Amino acid sequence: MRKFVSIGLVAALLFAVVMAGCISPGGETSSTTGPTESYSVEIYTGGTSGVYYPLGSAYANILNQYSKDETGIKIEARAVTSGASVANAQAIGDGRAQAAIMQNDVAYYAFHGTTLEAFQGKAVTKIRGVAALYPETIQFVVKADSNIKTLEDLKGKKVAVGAAGSGTAVAAQQILEAAGVWDDVDKVYLKFSEAAQQLKLGQIDAAVIVSGAPTPAIDQIAVQTPVRVLPIGEDILKELKNQGYIFYVSQTLPKDTYKGMTEDTPTLAVKAVLVVSADVPDDVVYAMTRLLFLHVDELRQVHAKAQYISFDTALDGMSIPLHPGAVKYYEEKGKTVPDELKP
């Protein structure tokens, strides 16, 4: 009898070990030992008044509603408000988030552990790309009646370049250095809302805003104080690319973006991107990518920025390696994935 008990105990222990290898830290079945049956995803977004949160919430609803029937994996998703890009990258790094929306430049800094103080010596090496979503426009905003017409005209001018330590401040420096005027600008570090008000009051000459356009803070002052956006040409983009800033893309702002604009204006943008942790199983990310594009029309009903979400532009501006699950989806659909984006 004792012999049979021992055999039973060994069998139970072996079963426990096998099952432990099939369960991820969050309690979900892992694809490393077979198909995933269910998985929980915390999607870090941004503040409730921004774009990230409504889009992230709608995407979580899509995963919850369709994942089991359309992919065979029950994905239980929840959108979480947060401090946006930098905080989201950190949440991926420490395992609080399995997915997030953030700017592609911040994703690049996080992955490489560079530029922003938050990531220096603390690279988030487990961050992986899923899809580029929509442009976050880099806007050098001046009053419509200002004599400032180009970036070069900012020499000697008082310019709000973003909050200290922000991605906006980094982008402003990179672009103004590419234009050769960074050292000649009187720099002021302000949040968007503060910069908009000081521009309206004439306390600054220009404000740098990195956000989906039209940006509410600028749109609100333009009602009484018409504004223009300074053009940023392909020569600046080429210089930035030559310096290794691969995350910038070109964009044209329509003339009706703000009151005061009289012509379409070329500028640059970074991209909002959907990212995941490398710890998420391949088949889960494959399902997440598939559902994103199958139900993009539902996202477009939630926010105007979702009109830019497209399979055709899903890799434009992608600045970090893709997750293998996303690569599988794109290649199955006939998209060529550049070698530098493969994990």
Side-chain angles (χ1 to χ4, degrees), residues 1-7:
M1 179 68 177
R2 184 175 302 168
K3 179 178 180 182
F4 288 110
V5 171
S6 299
I7 292 173

Side-chain angles (χ1 to χ4, degrees), residues 85-106:
S85 294
V86 172
N88 293 355
Q90 293 170 327
I92 292 282
D94 63 25
R96 286 176 291 133
Q98 289 73 49
I101 302 174
M102 66 183 64
Q103 290 180 196
N104 64 345
D105 54 340
V106 173

Side-chain angles (χ1 to χ4, degrees), residues 246-292:
I246 62 173
F247 36 77
Y248 288 110
V249 297
S250 59
Q251 186 187 6
T252 298
L253 276 186
K255 62 183 179 181
D256 59 356
T257 302
Y258 298 113
K259 181 180 178 182
M261 292 179 62
T262 58
E263 57 186 6
D264 296 347
T265 303
T267 185
L268 303 181
V270 292
K271 297 290 284 285
V273 292
L274 176 64
V275 304
V276 292
S277 168
D279 295 337
V280 182
D282 293 2
D283 55 352
V284 173
V285 177
Y286 176 91
M288 291 173 67
T289 312
R290 180 170 179 261
L291 291 169
L292 172 69

Side-chain angles (χ1 to χ4, degrees), residues 2 14 32-33 53 57 62 99 102 131 134 140 168 173 209 215 229 255 258 289 320:
R2 184 175 302 168
L14 285 172
T32 57
T33 55
Y53 183 72
S57 296
I62 288 170
M102 66 183 64
Y134 64 88
F140 282 74
T168 296
Q173 179 172 350
I209 308 289
T215 304
V229 175
K255 62 183 179 181
Y258 298 113
T289 312
I320 57 173

Side-chain angles (χ1 to χ4, degrees), residues 185-208:
V185 167
D186 181 6
K187 295 169 279 289
V188 184
Y189 293 88
L190 299 171
K191 296 179 180 179
F192 293 168
S193 58
E194 298 168 335
Q197 289 304 313
Q198 290 203 18
L199 181 66
K200 177 181 178 180
L201 296 173
Q203 296 171 341
I204 58 174
D205 299 299
V208 184

